[in-house]
C-alpha cells in the first residue's frame, strides 16, 4: 500500500493545526506525487441510469474516504504520540519500535512498515531539532496535537489510542516512571484520566491478579458489590468494540481482546467476592 493512500486520508480529515504541521514535516518527499487523483477522465454521464450510478458511486466513495480518513488519522496520531512515549526515557528501545512495526503491519500491511518507520525517524529528528532550539518545544507541539485529536476524535477512539500507547510503553517489559508520566500526561491532554491509563496498563494481569483486576475496573478493593457491578457495566460500555468499528476490523478486534481482558478481571473479582 503506497504511503499516499493511507496518509492522504489523514490529511483530508485532519489537515490543519499542529498535527497537520507534524504530518507535513514527517512526510516530506515521501508524500510527493503520492496523492490519489480524483479525475477519472470521463466526459460525464450519458443517461439517467449513468447519472444515478455515478452519483451512487460518488456517495459510496465519499463515505469510504471519510472512514479511511478517520482510520488514517488514528494511525498517524498513534505514530506522533508514540514518538513522544518512546523517547520519554531518553532512548529508543528496539522492543518498542518492534511493537510499532507490528501495529503498522497488522493495520496496513508489510509495505507500510518501512514508511511508518521513516515517519517515526523524522519525528524523532523533529523532536531533537525543536528541543535543541527551545527545551520542551516538542512537548508543546505534542500537547497542541493532543488537543486537536480530542477535538476530532470521539472519546472511545481516544481510549483505544491510549490502549495502544500503553502497549508500546510495555513492549520492553517494564514502564519506567518517565514513560508512566508521559502516558498520564498524554491521557490528560486527550481528555482522559490517570485511572484509565492504570486500567489499561494492568489489562494483561487482571485475570489472575486481584490487585490488578481492581485497577482494571478503576475501583478500590473497598468498593461495594453494587459499585463493582456498576463499574464493570460502565467499563464494558465505553470499551465496546462497536465504538471503534469505523477504524477498521483490526482495530475492532484489538478492542474485542481488550474487552475480554476486562471480563477476565471482572470474573476474578466476582469469584473472590462470591458474587
Amino acid at each position: 500500500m503506497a504511503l499516499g493512500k493511507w496518509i492522504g486520508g489523514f490529511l483530508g480529515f485532519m489537515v490543519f493545526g499542529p498535527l497537520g504541521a507534524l504530518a507535513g514535516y514527517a512526510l516530506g518527499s515521501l508524500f510527493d506525487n503520492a496523492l490519489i487523483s480524483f479525475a477519472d477522465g470521463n466526459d460525464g454521464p450519458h443517461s439517467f441510469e449513468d447519472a444515478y450510478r455515478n452519483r451512487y458511486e460518488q456517495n459510496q466513495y465519499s463515505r469510504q474516504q471519510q472512514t479511511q480518513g478517520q482510520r488514517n488519522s488514528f494511525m498517524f496520531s498513534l505514530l506522533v504520540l508514540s514518538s513522544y512515549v518512546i523517547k520519554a526515557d531518553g532512548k529508543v528501545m528496539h522492543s518498542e519500535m518492534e511493537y510499532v512495526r507490528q501495529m503498522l503491519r497488522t493495520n496496513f500491511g508489510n509495505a507500510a512498515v518501512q514508511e511508518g518507520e521513516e515517519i517515526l525517524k523524522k519525528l524523532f529528528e523533529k523532536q531533537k531539532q525543536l528541543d535543541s532550539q527551545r527545551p520542551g518545544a516538542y512537548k508543546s507541539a505534542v500537547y497542541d496535537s493532543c488537543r486537536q485529536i480530542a477535538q476530532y476524535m470521539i472519546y472511545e477512539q481516544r481510549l483505544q489510542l491510549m490502549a495502544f500507547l500503553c502497549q508500546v510503553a510495555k513492549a520492553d517489559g517494564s514502564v519506567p516512571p518517565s514513560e508512566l508520566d508521559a502516558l498520564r500526561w498524554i491521557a490528560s491532554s486527550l481528555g482522559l484520566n490517570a485511572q484509565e491509563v492504570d486500567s489499561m496498563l494492568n489489562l494483561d494481569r487482571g485475570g489472575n491478579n486481584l490487585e490488578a483486576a481492581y485497577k482494571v475496573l478503576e475501583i478500590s478493593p473497598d468498593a461495594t458489590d453494587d459499585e463493582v457491578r456498576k463499574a464493570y457495566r460502565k467499563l464494558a460500555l465505553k470499551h465496546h468494540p462497536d465504538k471503534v468499528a469505523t477504524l477498521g476490523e483490526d482495530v475492532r478486534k484489538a478492542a474485542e481482546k481488550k474487552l475480554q481482558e476486562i471480563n477476565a478481571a471482572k470474573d476474578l473479582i466476582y469469584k473472590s467476592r462470591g458474587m
Side-chain angles (χ1 to χ4, degrees):
M1 178 181 291
L3 182 65
K5 291 183 179 179
W6 63 272
I7 210 66
F10 159 78
L11 291 174
F13 185 73
M14 196 181 288
V15 69
F16 300 110
L19 200 56
L22 284 175
Y25 171 83
L27 292 172
S29 60
L30 289 174
F31 190 58
D32 289 346
N33 303 317
L35 285 174
I36 302 170
S37 172
F38 287 91
D40 59 10
N42 292 333
D43 295 330
H46 300 289
S47 66
F48 175 79
E49 289 79 5
D50 289 340
Y52 181 84
R53 183 169 57 252
N54 284 357
R55 174 60 61 187
Y56 174 80
E57 290 173 352
Q58 287 171 8
N59 288 340
Q60 288 292 101
Y61 184 71
S62 177
R63 284 193 289 270
Q64 290 171 0
Q65 284 296 96
Q66 184 178 11
T67 298
Q68 192 65 24
Q70 291 179 1
R71 175 176 166 81
N72 297 339
S73 171
F74 181 89
M75 290 306 298
F76 192 85
S77 298
L78 177 59
L79 287 174
V80 170
L81 300 184
S82 291
S83 74
Y84 183 77
V85 172
I86 289 172
K87 287 294 292 289
D89 58 358
K91 54 185 179 293
V92 177
M93 298 295 292
H94 171 77
S95 52
E96 293 171 334
M97 289 294 293
E98 183 56 32
Y99 181 82
V100 175
R101 291 187 194 101
Q102 291 174 4
M103 283 282 298
L104 291 168
R105 187 176 293 110
T106 299
N107 288 276
F108 294 101
N110 291 326
V113 176
Q114 183 177 353
E115 293 160 344
E117 276 193 278
E118 288 298 317
I119 288 174
L120 265 182
K121 288 177 183 177
K122 288 182 179 292
L123 288 170
F124 291 144
E125 291 172 10
K126 188 65 173 177
Q127 182 174 3
K128 184 178 180 180
Q129 175 194 338
L130 288 176
D131 286 347
S132 67
Q133 297 170 352
R134 179 172 63 86
Y138 191 73
K139 182 176 182 178
S140 295
V142 171
Y143 173 78
D144 290 339
S145 296
C146 285
R147 300 314 300 160
Q148 186 182 2
I149 292 168
Q151 179 183 357
Y152 282 93
M153 199 175 290
I154 65 172
Y155 170 71
E156 291 82 4
Q157 292 177 350
R158 281 177 276 142
L159 275 178
Q160 187 61 42
L161 181 63
M162 203 68 228
F164 283 137
L165 290 173
C166 287
Q167 292 301 312
V168 171
K170 291 173 61 178
D172 58 356
S174 65
V175 182
S178 56
E179 289 188 356
L180 181 58
D181 289 345
L183 289 170
R184 289 176 173 172
W185 175 77
I186 287 174
S188 175
S189 302
L190 289 174
L192 307 176
N193 61 59
Q195 267 192 316
E196 290 169 325
V197 173
D198 291 343
S199 172
M200 287 178 276
L201 286 174
N202 283 276
L203 280 172
D204 59 343
R205 300 192 305 126
N208 51 40
N209 182 294
L210 194 56
E211 181 183 357
Y214 279 108
K215 289 181 179 179
V216 169
L217 263 62
E218 301 175 23
I219 53 175
S220 164
D222 297 330
T224 65
D225 289 352
D226 189 48
E227 288 172 335
V228 170
R229 293 187 185 93
K230 287 181 179 178
Y232 167 70
R233 287 195 294 268
K234 180 181 178 181
L235 206 63
L237 182 62
K238 71 181 183 180
H239 286 286
H240 197 283
D242 289 349
K243 299 290 183 69
V244 297
T246 58
L247 297 175
E249 181 62 16
D250 36 39
V251 177
R252 192 194 67 79
K253 284 183 178 179
E256 204 170 68
K257 180 177 182 293
K258 177 157 54 78
L259 185 58
Q260 290 171 353
E261 291 172 325
I262 290 170
N263 284 331
K266 178 263 296 181
D267 289 343
L268 183 62
I269 292 174
Y270 277 28
K271 182 179 179 180
S272 72
R273 289 173 172 244
M275 294 171 60

